[in-house]
Every structure is written in structure tokens, then in C-alpha cells.
Amino acid sequence: MVMRGIVVAMAVLALAACGGSSGGEASPQSTTTGAATSGDESSLEGWAQGLCTSVAEWQASTKSAGAKMANSKDDFAQGEQAVTSADDFLVSGLKGLGTPPAPASTAANDAIAGLMTKLENQAGDIEQALIEEPRTQSDVVTDTARVKALISKMNNDISKTVTELKSLPDTEGWKAAFEVPSCQGVATG
């Protein structure tokens, strides 16, 4: 638990010190932390861009870590740290966005709050799955499959929430907000 607290604190500090990504490559240092916008973007588009950037970077980190975790105990240990850090970074990044700007409805705010709760719980589930160090290669493979399944569940919940937001009345602007370039790979729902 102390390790998670340190990781969360480092993620918050990193988020506070950095801006948006312009190159499309995923790295924790490039996470957008708020709804900062350029001249032709609405606040909602900036908020959506922050969400999409955080999610895309989390997806890249967990995919990279997950691809190697089953190889060996050492790779599993490295992947464990990377996945836990990525989860904490995602949750912190999304919390850093705050509530979406007007004209976000109660339905939109509820969908986002529900997603945050699910992601926090699932990050906790991943942490629980990683508590006991695997003793054999078979344990490594089993634990890796469990972690990948939880990551997949997080991805599905993100996708469902984006789909839900995009289906809200056009007057809220969610559909257009998720058409910003950084959302193209994330907002496919």
C-alpha cells in the first residue's frame, strides 16, 4: 500500500508538471491534465481531448507491459510495476480533468463519475491480483491472464462510457467533442 501511495504521489506530481502530447506517442510525461484548449477548440473538446490522451497513454502502457509479463518472473515483476503505475496515472489524470464544462448534463456527469468509480475499483482489483508473487512460470502465466482480463474490462468500461456520452443529445456537444484527433483511437464506441 505504501508503494501505491508513492506511485500515486509521483503521478500527481508528473501530471501537474506536464502538458498535452503533440506527437501521438504515448508516454506518461505527455498526459494532458486539464481542459486547456487552443483557440478553435471548445472547453468540452479540450476536456474530451484530456480524457482521450490519458486513456490512450494508459492503453499503450498496459499493452506494452502486458505483452511481456508472461515471459518470466522478472518480466512479470517489471510489468506489474508498469501496469500499477499506468492505472494510478490514468485515474489521477482523469481526476485532474475535473467535471466536464457546461453544457454537460447530469447524465454526462453521472456517466463520468460511474466510470471513475469503476476504474478505481478495477485498479484496486489489479493491485490485489498482483499482491502475491508468482512462484512458478505457470503462476506467472495465470496471473498475467488475470491482469490482462482486468485491463480488458477497464477498456470496455471506458468504451461504453464514451459511447454513452456520444449518444447524449447533440445540444451537449459530446459527439463533436470526441471527434478531436487525439480521440480517434479511443472514442471508437
Side-chain angles (χ1 to χ4, degrees):
M1 284 307 213
V2 171
M3 173 73 166
R4 182 178 174 121
I6 292 169
V7 170
V8 170
M10 290 184 342
V12 170
L13 288 173
L15 283 168
C18 55
S21 174
S22 60
E25 287 189 38
S27 71
Q29 292 78 21
S30 64
T31 298
T32 301
T33 60
T37 60
S38 65
D40 61 346
E41 284 183 318
S42 76
S43 305
L44 189 58
E45 286 173 339
W47 192 94
Q49 182 176 1
L51 179 138
C52 293
T53 301
S54 293
V55 169
E57 291 173 1
W58 170 80
Q59 288 171 331
S61 294
T62 55
K63 182 177 181 180
S64 173
K68 298 181 238 175
M69 284 180 77
N71 293 343
S72 68
K73 286 183 187 182
D74 288 340
D75 286 342
F76 184 85
Q78 291 173 358
E80 171 186 1
Q81 290 176 344
V83 168
T84 301
S85 293
D87 289 349
D88 290 340
F89 204 78
L90 173 66
V91 170
S92 296
L94 296 181
K95 281 182 178 180
L97 290 172
T99 58
S105 65
T106 301
N109 287 321
D110 288 348
I112 293 160
L115 174 63
M116 287 303 304
T117 299
K118 287 177 186 177
L119 294 178
E120 288 173 329
N121 290 340
Q122 291 161 350
D125 290 346
I126 289 173
E127 190 172 308
Q128 284 294 319
L130 297 172
I131 284 179
E132 190 173 321
E133 185 176 327
R135 290 182 225 138
T136 66
Q137 183 60 31
S138 178
D139 291 342
V140 168
V141 172
T142 301
D143 290 351
T144 298
R146 186 176 319 135
V147 169
K148 285 182 175 183
L150 290 165
I151 289 169
S152 179
K153 188 169 178 14
M154 290 173 82
N155 262 316
N156 288 337
D157 287 336
I158 291 166
S159 181
K160 286 177 186 176
T161 300
V162 169
T163 299
E164 185 178 345
L165 292 172
K166 287 170 64 174
S167 70
L168 291 173
D170 282 342
T171 56
E172 289 194 41
W174 286 103
K175 190 170 188 171
F178 283 107
E179 291 177 2
V180 298
S182 62
C183 290
Q184 295 308 305
V186 175
T188 57

